Structures are given as structure tokens and as C-alpha cells.
Amino acid sequence: MAKTKVTKKEEPIKFPSSVLRPVQTFLQDQLHVLDRQKKNLKEEDPFSNHARADDNAALDTEAEEQFGHATTSALREQIDKKRIEIRKALTRIKLGKYGICENCGKMIDTDRLMVYPQASLCVSCEKKK
């Protein structure tokens, strides 16, 4: 009769709270910065100008407004994506899963987290993506 060897799945090392507190503070600060940027972009959007509806603008003015709206919309969309990434990272901190790859379950390299603190994948899983 063959013996089966039971292997215990290794738990990844978790960061201590003293390390995570500054990361959490940094991420929360980044959320506030992004919120301000999004608000400023909304104010810069030519389509948010209420006087625009009364204006019989020339074609070049209309094109400029269209371009300005498209630009601010694209920037707001990028800000929304960053906000989602940061909020996910803050949630992972609360759940005790920060720094663990969502795909393979291994630790994300600390150098990667220093550069991109909202990283949810290790470098090898990110390359595969």
C-alpha cells in the first residue's frame, strides 16, 4: 500500500500593521487627490458650462468644445479606474490580503508595491495578463 504524502499549503507572509498603516494613509491621500482632480476636470468640461446652451457657436468653437469634452471625459475615466484600484487595495489591507497576488496567491514583490502600492498581481501574473 502506497503512502500518500499530505502537503500543507504554505500561508503567505502577511505584512505587519506597522508597515500597512503608512501604505493605507498614502492610498487614502491619493483618493482625496483623485477626487479633487475629478472635480476640477468636471468644472473644466466645456459641456458643463450652462451658457453653452444659449450660444450659437461657430463650427470651430463647437469642435473645440467637443474635443475639450472628449479629453476631460477620458481623463475622468482614467481617474475612476485609479480610484477603483486604490479602493480595492484598501479593502485588501482591511481583509489582511494586501501584498498577496490575486491570481497565484504568492507574495507580491515589495519593490513592486513600493512603486505601485495598489498592485494586485505579482510581476509574473501581470506579464501573463
Side-chain angles (χ1 to χ4, degrees), residues 23 26-27 30 34 82 84-90 92 98 108 112-113 115-121:
V23 174
F26 173 78
L27 290 172
Q30 289 299 306
L34 290 172
K82 287 180 183 179
I84 290 168
E85 288 177 352
I86 291 172
R87 292 177 81 172
K88 282 178 66 177
L90 289 168
R92 286 194 307 274
Y98 180 77
I108 299 172
R112 176 170 169 75
L113 290 172
V115 173
Y116 187 60
Q118 62 267 33
S120 61
L121 298 173

Side-chain angles (χ1 to χ4, degrees), residues 34 37 41 75-83:
L34 290 172
Q37 287 177 348
L41 281 172
L75 291 171
R76 282 197 319 257
E77 190 175 310
Q78 289 299 317
I79 288 172
D80 286 339
K81 287 179 183 180
K82 287 180 183 179
R83 288 180 77 245

Side-chain angles (χ1 to χ4, degrees), residues 41 44-49 52-53 55 57-76:
L41 281 172
E44 291 175 17
D45 189 346
F47 282 17
S48 66
N49 183 354
R52 179 181 180 272
D55 188 14
L59 289 176
D60 60 336
T61 304
E62 181 68 24
E64 185 178 324
E65 288 175 346
Q66 291 285 342
F67 179 75
H69 175 69
T71 302
T72 57
S73 294
L75 291 171
R76 282 197 319 257

Side-chain angles (χ1 to χ4, degrees), residues 6-29:
V6 177
T7 58
K8 188 176 175 183
K9 186 178 178 183
E10 288 185 35
E11 281 286 318
I13 300 169
K14 294 183 181 177
F15 291 106
S17 62
S18 61
V19 172
L20 291 177
R21 250 182 285 172
V23 174
Q24 189 173 17
T25 302
F26 173 78
L27 290 172
Q28 288 169 339
D29 289 345

